[in-house]
Amino acid sequence: MSGAWFSQPFRPDGNITAEGLRNQLGRPALSMPTVLVRESAQNSWDARTSRPVIDFAITLGTMGPGQMSTWRGLLSQGMPVSGPEVFLLRRVLQQSSLRYLAISDRGTKGLGGPTRSDRPAPGGLRDWLSFVLNSGEARDTDGGGGTYGYGKGVFFLASQVGTVIIYTRIVEDDVLRTRLIGSALCSSFTARDVPYTGRHWWGLPQGDHCEPLRDGAADQVARALGLPLFQGQDTGTTVVVIEPNLLDPSVPEEEAVQLPAAEAGTFLADAMAWNLWPLALADRAQRMHQSVVVDDTPVPIPNEQTDPALAHLAAAYRQMTSATGEPVRCLRPRRQLGRFGHEQTMGVRITSKAAADLGLVEDLAVGEAPHHVCIMRTPELVVRYIPGRPKPHPELGYLGVLRVEDDLDAVFAKSEPPTHDAWIDSQLHGAEATYVRVTHRRIKEHCENIAGVRRLNPIADHRPVSDVARRLGHLLSGATGGVGAAASATAGSPSTGPGGFGAAFAGTGGHDGHRGARTGRSTPAAVGRAGGGPRPRLEGMPRFVDGPRGTILEQQVRLPSRGQYCATVAVVTGDGKLETDPFAGAAIPQIIGWRTVDEVTTGALFETDEPCDVVLLVDPVADATLEISVARTA
């Protein structure tokens, strides 16, 4: 059995036109591929059953000349009398091939309920009406992600010809039933003095509406069109977007072209990873399994096992949900808004186009250390990543996760625009607006604390500072174990000035990695291995490096042999001793980590299998002289 097209006439009592629906949905701020992944996954998650794993799959493929004859034969019947400039599918079916994007979910309930709006909906089930006929109406799922019905209309916006095919399987009266219908959203037009809304359906026309193909007829057409079929007792939905709009979002819109298939698949996989990672965590009681296939080839999706940034996000999420998570509170009115967790990052650079689309990367060429907080609510879908203040060094970053309390879900849902990618307090009033506003303020406060105390921006000076060394010679005496160098970075003067950094001195430490209890000074007899042997050597002078995020201290170190090494840093006091008891609130220098040609290792310990040269990274403090010590521990 085949179907035919039904064009919706404009009734005197009013219909929404295609233009009206498009205007109602608006233009998304994110790219179409990102919005399509976000909204379709949200639909699937809202429609989940009790099955522990929900399957969400995207297939990008091409219908070649051999299949196009079948498509033309099936989808050309009863086409509207408007020309190809209005009903765009007409032109596409005349081509030798077309590209399609099939978005499928399994382990979901499918699109059930009545197929026409003038019929009663048993149990209030209106999924078919909401998705197929009434795109644009508000959500009807408690705890669901959608609020404006944007996820129902985005499929049409994602099609260059405004046409999709919907194939669904449901359980009705304990029996598996399938339905298939085509739907198009085109410009309104008038034919033979009859105005039409521009909305069309392909199925079984019934005079004033269109019914879907059902059961065997639906499966037969799905098989002929090459759609993903249902297996076993599976229920769910497949939506096929014809000629998907997959423009490259990394270039200006006026210059953007359609992404090649391989690049589009990578972008879609990355968009899944960055937007849906909370639902994919392996230790969830119910999770979403995701997949992307391009021309029969699976595309790997980054996850916490393969991507360090996603690993940090997953760790921050688990911290947030554990006893160590920090409560986020509003004081007036007094109540808890949510919970927060975060993870520090070291040497993590994000270079994904999909992540850049979400604002996580500004320069794709070099990548960027993250300094963002992921916000979410009850469905645990990513709403957006809010940027905080970066850390001083480009290799350092952080990732946080904030989730609002379940009983505030409706409040924050109301604050979201149609694409659910922000919380906007101006859309609310009274205490509800306060909750959203204070949440943003608390996020900013957390980011400020994580990024550290703001420093003045000193001017880096890599020249030798022999004059400073001469004036501070008493600090050099014995403080470096006989091996040392000095450098200075100042704010506006060759010597240390207000807000500037003093001279830094470096030396090798004892074999146990500790200094003496009284003076904190290393002694030449104690360096290297127990019983003697080669010791680490500091190459040249340490130098202050002034980058876009502040100043750090870099020291070249030669590690002479295989083993584990430990670095320490301390402030040298005015009498030449190492500061062991800083006053309350004092800034303390920190070892950031070690940089090799290939990677950055965080922390004070570094292990090597062979002799090598590394760069030690130190977070200094202003107006202080520092001693750096490197020792072998094993």
Side-chain angles (χ1 to χ4, degrees):
M1 178 186 296
S2 62
W5 284 99
F6 168 81
S7 299
Q8 182 186 57
F10 198 92
R11 297 193 305 265
D13 57 346
N15 302 103
I16 185 170
T17 63
E19 291 87 349
L21 180 56
R22 289 181 186 274
N23 291 335
Q24 178 178 321
L25 295 173
R27 182 176 179 178
L30 299 172
S31 72
M32 186 52 65
T34 295
V35 173
L36 188 61
V37 167
R38 287 169 61 97
E39 300 298 327
S40 57
Q42 184 171 282
N43 290 340
S44 298
W45 189 251
D46 289 349
R48 67 191 183 277
T49 62
S50 59
R51 205 168 84 171
V53 178
I54 309 304
D55 290 311
F56 177 71
I58 293 182
T59 301
L60 178 61
T62 302
M63 296 295 176
Q67 295 162 302
M68 286 303 297
S69 60
T70 301
W71 277 64
R72 279 190 291 270
L74 287 171
L75 299 182
S76 295
Q77 298 297 317
M79 276 191 174
V81 294
S82 60
E85 71 282 355
V86 174
F87 192 71
L88 301 177
L89 181 65
R90 187 191 307 274
R91 171 177 50 82
V92 170
L93 291 179
Q94 295 170 354
Q95 299 173 173
S96 59
S97 65
L98 64 80
R99 191 154 76 156
Y100 71 93
L101 194 69
I103 304 170
S104 303
D105 57 47
R106 300 293 184 263
T108 58
K109 59 185 178 181
L111 302 175
T115 56
R116 50 185 298 172
S117 56
D118 58 350
R119 297 287 174 85
L125 185 62
R126 295 172 51 86
D127 294 331
W128 180 271
L129 297 178
S130 297
F131 192 90
V132 178
L133 301 183
N134 301 330
S135 296
E137 74 176 12
R139 76 169 180 180
D140 50 15
T141 302
D142 291 337
T147 52
Y148 293 84
Y150 196 93
K152 305 161 188 174
V154 70
F155 295 96
F156 298 103
L157 301 183
S159 169
Q160 297 181 69
V161 295
T163 306
V164 301
I165 298 172
I166 303 163
Y167 178 46
T168 189
R169 190 194 234 185
I170 61 175
V171 175
E172 189 175 64
D173 298 328
D174 297 325
V175 177
L176 289 173
R177 309 295 299 269
T178 55
R179 298 172 176 177
L180 185 145
I181 197 168
S183 185
L185 193 66
C186 305
S187 299
S188 57
F189 64 99
T190 299
R192 301 188 182 96
D193 296 327
V194 177
Y196 290 87
T197 65
R199 304 183 71 187
H200 312 268
W201 288 270
W202 182 92
L204 302 177
Q206 301 294 306
D208 60 348
H209 74 288
C210 188
E211 288 287 326
L213 276 66
R214 300 174 187 266
D215 302 331
D219 296 332
Q220 180 182 353
V221 169
R223 186 177 294 106
L225 293 175
L227 309 188
L229 301 177
F230 291 94
Q231 305 295 326
Q233 300 297 303
D234 278 346
T235 55
T237 301
T238 295
V239 180
V240 178
V241 178
I242 300 176
E243 290 293 342
N245 183 7
L246 300 175
L247 291 174
D248 187 346
S250 65
V251 298
E253 185 175 358
E254 61 274 10
E255 302 174 14
V257 297
Q258 295 293 325
L259 288 167
E263 290 185 34
T266 298
F267 187 96
L268 292 167
D270 285 359
M272 276 191 183
W274 286 101
N275 287 283
L276 309 180
W277 64 265
L279 303 183
L281 297 176
D283 50 354
R284 291 183 63 100
Q286 189 175 39
R287 65 185 182 90
M288 175 180 281
H289 175 265
Q290 303 156 21
S291 62
V292 174
V293 175
V294 175
D295 293 330
D296 300 324
T297 301
V299 179
I301 300 174
N303 56 50
E304 63 175 308
Q305 283 76 40
T306 61
D307 186 282
L310 292 172
H312 285 297
L313 278 170
Y317 171 91
R318 294 185 178 102
Q319 180 195 124
M320 179 264 296
T321 57
S322 72
T324 59
E326 300 178 60
V328 177
R329 293 190 174 96
C330 179
L331 301 181
R332 292 184 181 179
R334 184 178 296 275
R335 70 158 300 154
Q336 182 163 322
L337 302 174
R339 294 181 66 81
F340 176 81
H342 81 278
E343 284 285 315
Q344 309 272 2
T345 70
M346 177 72 174
V348 173
R349 293 294 184 105
I350 301 174
T351 58
S352 163
K353 283 185 178 181
D357 193 28
L358 296 168
L360 281 157
V361 189
E362 293 182 4
D363 188 348
L364 281 170
V366 298
E368 186 173 349
H371 47 93
H372 295 75
V373 174
C374 174
I375 58 175
M376 62 181 70
R377 53 184 179 87
T378 297
E380 296 196 340
L381 294 150
V382 172
V383 174
R384 68 169 298 182
Y385 294 90
I386 296 180
R389 185 161 64 83
K391 288 209 163 196
H393 189 266
E395 296 294 347
L396 300 178
Y398 58 89
L399 284 164
V401 176
L402 181 142
R403 183 185 187 276
V404 298
E405 297 295 295
D406 288 347
D407 59 353
L408 287 175
D409 177 69
V411 172
F412 282 80
K414 283 195 295 183
S415 77
E416 294 177 1
T419 45
H420 320 296
D421 57 357
W423 290 337
I424 305 171
D425 62 89
S426 61
Q427 297 184 178
L428 305 175
H429 303 281
E432 293 184 342
T434 299
Y435 295 150
V436 175
R437 185 164 54 250
V438 171
T439 298
H440 282 291
R441 188 184 308 151
R442 296 291 180 262
I443 291 172
K444 181 179 179 181
E445 292 168 356
H446 276 295
C447 291
E448 291 290 325
N449 291 335
I450 296 168
V453 179
R454 186 184 296 274
R455 297 191 181 97
L456 295 178
N457 191 22
I459 301 173
D461 183 359
H462 303 314
R463 295 174 297 173
V465 287
S466 55
D467 56 333
V468 178
R470 282 194 299 271
R471 288 198 298 270
L472 302 179
H474 68 285
L475 299 184
L476 281 169
S477 178
T480 65
V483 180
S488 175
T490 66
S493 68
S495 60
T496 56
F501 292 87
F505 304 97
T508 53
H511 74 280
D512 59 356
H514 298 282
R515 304 180 180 87
R518 290 183 58 83
T519 67
R521 298 172 184 171
S522 59
T523 59
V527 300
R529 298 179 183 171
R535 66 181 183 180
R537 185 172 70 251
L538 306 178
E539 303 283 356
M541 295 183 298
R543 63 177 191 148
F544 290 101
V545 177
D546 184 25
R549 301 184 182 181
T551 300
I552 70 160
L553 182 65
E554 293 189 351
Q555 172 64 54
Q556 188 81 21
V557 182
R558 174 65 179 175
L559 303 180
S561 60
R562 175 181 179 180
Q564 185 183 72
Y565 297 85
C566 179
T568 56
V569 61
V571 172
V572 181
T573 63
D575 58 1
K577 297 179 180 180
L578 299 183
E579 184 177 64
T580 58
D581 188 20
F583 61 87
I588 301 173
Q590 301 284 340
I591 299 295
I592 298 173
W594 310 73
R595 187 179 70 230
T596 66
V597 174
D598 299 321
E599 61 182 357
V600 175
T601 302
T602 185
L605 295 177
F606 182 80
E607 191 165 352
T608 179
D609 292 330
E610 59 185 359
C612 65
D613 292 305
V614 296
V615 176
L616 181 64
L617 307 176
V618 178
D619 187 7
V621 296
D623 297 320
T625 300
L626 308 179
E627 178 187 297
I628 300 171
S629 177
V630 179
R632 178 170 177 173
T633 62

